[in-house]
Amino acid sequence: MSVLVIGGAGYIGSHTVRLLMQEGYDVWVYDNLIAGHRAAVPEGCLIEGELADHLRLSQIMKEREVTSVVHFAAFASVGESVEHPAKYYQNNVVASHSLLTAMLAAEVREIVFSSTTATYGIPQAVPIREVETQRPINPYGFTKLVIEQMLRDYQHAYGLRYAALRYFNAAGASADGSIGEDHRPESHLIPIVLQVALGQRESVTIFGDDYPTPDGTCIRDYVHVDDLATAHLAAMRTLHAADGDGMQRVEVNLGTGKGHSVNEVVEACRRISGHAIPSVKGARRAGDPPELVADPSLAKQQLGWEPRYVDLDEIVETAWRWHRDHPQGYGQA
Ligand code: UFG
């Protein structure tokens, strides 16, 4: 099988690319390197380009006899999406439409898509099941929901098979510490806390300690990036096996089912790094739901997927190894 990974030079994409290669797939990465890193993918597989260029994309799919697409390319910062929704609708929705246009033209009928817990907004019940109503509370979540809806409609009308994988909080780095998380600017909790441990920041600000949670800080479900990679592989295989009358659409949560508060994450980072990591109390960050924890049982049932990393310390340990050994991430931009 020949797989085209859109946005494969990014954080979750690069870990998935590595796994697909280990499993023997022919892998091509299509990335504009705005958020991705050249050094995150093996030499020779990277094609630089824009999603808007659907004619070129369909040409690439035909030439390389692509059978499946895995689509990671998106802007994914909630706060920024509130300030610059146009950027998000353009880059996420319009660009994904262009990708689907290219797929139909090249007769590629399988796509695994990065969706998000942000499509649920503030859930009625936690842990969150897929029957939860999707009511996003920010433009980022809306863009992902629109793409999910496009996939449903394309499945119905054009027979496109798809998996929408709703990630909870991606975390950690490859076990050998060679690839990891490098967002610029960084906004995610674990990298920020570990940058304090490295002396790159003075302290971490805790965004709100008056939430209705046991210690007052937000609870999230941190899922290891290599476990997310495994889920993409499982989803791709499930869709491919479905060629004919099997599974045409998959919409599942990817999390561990365990929640950790911001304070617990900071504590884990202190334990693992051996640094004091000063923290200061700050105001709530707009758009943060108090608690997001997955019920991952449908992913287990439909994909046979279960996370290998269920212990927060183990997840943080892999992240720490990456940040400690690569204090500048992938280096100069
Ligand atoms: N946090 C802090 N201080 C920081 C950074 C984060 O207290 O400096 C807190 C946040 O308020 C939140 C938790 O740490 O409670 C986790 O924040 P992240 O920014 O690491 O992750 P989010 O939960 O905001 O974001 C994730 C995904 C998004 C997705 C979102 C859905 O990264 O793509 O979940 O809510 F949209």
Side-chain angles (χ1 to χ4, degrees):
M1 271 172 77
S2 172
V3 185
L4 184 64
V5 184
I6 312 292
Y11 173 41
I12 306 169
S14 58
H15 289 76
T16 304
V17 164
R18 181 178 282 198
L19 178 66
L20 294 176
M21 285 183 168
Q22 282 165 358
E23 293 290 316
Y25 292 94
D26 288 334
V27 182
W28 306 101
V29 172
Y30 191 81
D31 200 303
N32 63 9
L33 298 181
I34 285 181
H37 306 276
R38 188 181 300 279
V41 290
E43 264 177 47
C45 69
L46 178 66
I47 305 164
E48 276 182 71
E50 296 294 336
L51 277 178
D53 198 351
H54 62 87
L55 293 176
R56 177 166 178 235
L57 256 176
S58 63
Q59 193 60 33
I60 289 168
M61 290 182 201
K62 284 180 199 153
E63 279 167 12
R64 289 168 170 80
E65 297 179 358
V66 166
T67 44
S68 298
V69 167
V70 187
H71 176 27
F72 292 99
F75 290 140
S77 170
V78 170
E80 188 187 43
S81 78
V82 177
E83 307 236 318
H84 303 290
K87 178 174 168 182
Y88 276 68
Y89 283 97
Q90 179 66 40
N91 190 65
N92 295 1
V93 177
V94 178
S96 294
H97 175 263
S98 174
L99 170 62
L100 296 182
T101 302
M103 287 179 67
L104 293 185
E107 297 182 6
V108 178
R109 289 281 188 272
E110 294 168 17
I111 180 167
V112 180
F113 167 63
S114 301
S115 191
T116 169
T117 176
T119 59
Y120 292 116
I122 299 178
Q124 303 286 305
V126 179
I128 301 171
R129 296 172 59 216
E130 290 78 358
V131 290
E132 180 70 49
T133 310
Q134 290 177 289
R135 262 187 300 243
I137 57 169
N138 51 59
Y140 169 62
F142 271 108
T143 63
K144 291 287 184 169
L145 185 56
V146 171
I147 303 165
E148 282 200 11
Q149 188 59 45
M150 280 202 291
L151 293 172
R152 283 175 205 134
D153 294 338
Y154 278 47
Q155 192 275 315
H156 181 74
Y158 310 126
L160 184 85
R161 292 187 294 278
Y162 74 92
L165 304 181
R166 299 181 191 143
Y167 312 153
F168 281 63
N169 286 58
S174 69
D176 68 1
S178 60
I179 52 175
E181 192 166 8
D182 181 356
H183 298 111
R184 302 178 189 199
E186 189 52 77
S187 66
H188 294 92
L189 180 64
I190 293 176
I192 286 178
V193 177
L194 295 178
Q195 286 171 357
V196 180
L198 286 170
Q200 296 174 343
R201 294 173 190 255
E202 276 186 13
S203 60
V204 54
T205 302
I206 312 284
F207 295 150
D209 65 350
D210 57 351
Y211 283 98
T213 60
D215 68 16
T217 66
C218 285
I219 293 176
R220 294 287 182 271
D221 183 338
Y222 295 88
V223 54
H224 195 275
V225 63
D226 273 340
D227 283 325
L228 293 180
T230 310
H232 288 78
L233 176 65
M236 220 177 71
R237 286 182 170 155
T238 301
L239 296 178
H240 200 65
D243 206 352
D245 54 8
M247 195 162 278
Q248 305 287 309
R249 66 183 246 192
V250 173
E251 296 178 5
V252 292
N253 292 336
L254 297 180
T256 64
K258 277 171 54 175
H260 298 281
S261 71
V262 174
N263 280 344
E264 286 170 352
V265 170
V266 176
E267 274 308 322
C269 292
R270 288 181 178 132
R271 270 195 303 280
I272 300 300
S273 68
H275 290 256
I277 310 185
S279 65
V280 294
K281 290 179 186 175
R284 288 185 178 195
R285 186 174 67 177
D288 271 344
E291 185 175 7
L292 295 171
V293 178
D295 176 340
S297 41
L298 191 64
K300 183 176 179 190
Q301 194 188 312
Q302 295 195 338
L303 305 178
W305 177 81
E306 276 186 285
R308 268 191 313 124
Y309 291 87
V310 286
D311 180 52
L312 178 64
D313 280 22
E314 276 185 48
I315 295 176
V316 170
E317 223 167 74
T318 65
W320 174 236
R321 199 172 304 141
W322 156 256
H323 287 285
R324 187 195 57 200
D325 295 348
H326 304 84
Q328 302 309 323
Y330 289 104
Q332 295 301 317

